[in-house]
Amino acid sequence: MTAPSEQPDARTPSYPGTEASVGAVMTLADAYWDAAHRLLPQIEKGRSVSSAPTRLCAIQSIETYLNAFLLFHSLDRKLVRGLQHDLAERTRLAVEKGLSLRRRTAEHLIRLSEQRDYLVVRYGPEQLGDLSEINRMFATLKEIAEKVRAAIFEQPHDPSDPRYKVYW
């Protein structure tokens, strides 16, 4: 009998996103942003369940933008992945790394975590009426998207600049 190999099994795929660049994560966040905005007109007044797909895409977009920001600032991928859907902790870490958010936006991100909006929109149709206004959700999404994009894409593009970071 031979000793088990020290090398990982070549058949075991890496965790999804392990090799994704910051630019690829940004592109994914943009795709969720676009999907959320395309779904917005399908929300029917008085029928809260119709907002679930829109909310899910908006929350996923927010989370993915924050992930891109954290990865851009060299946070460990396992740490970021370990946050699961905790927008409050992502926000805390992003602010610690220099993301400047309006007070209302930061408070909303914390509330999204406390109310467990991500889980409610996926599994709790009976609780959808208790979630924050869709306008507030899109105001938060807009601010996160704009500020994360600015923080990443306004970095120096000259590789000789010591502040230069490869993100694509």
Side-chain angles (χ1 to χ4, degrees), residues 44-99:
E44 299 172 27
K45 199 167 193 80
R47 195 167 164 257
S48 57
V49 74
S50 69
S51 73
T54 307
R55 289 176 183 278
L56 183 61
C57 288
I59 292 168
Q60 190 62 45
S61 183
I62 291 167
E63 181 179 318
T64 308
Y65 279 120
L66 290 172
N67 287 349
F69 185 85
L70 295 173
L71 295 172
F72 182 75
H73 287 280
S74 304
L75 257 71
D76 181 68
R77 288 175 184 273
K78 284 185 179 180
L79 173 81
V80 174
R81 187 171 55 241
L83 296 172
Q84 298 182 355
H85 303 291
D86 187 346
L87 293 176
E89 185 62 11
R90 271 184 179 78
T91 301
R92 186 190 70 74
L93 291 168
V95 167
E96 190 177 278
K97 292 292 183 181
L99 187 63

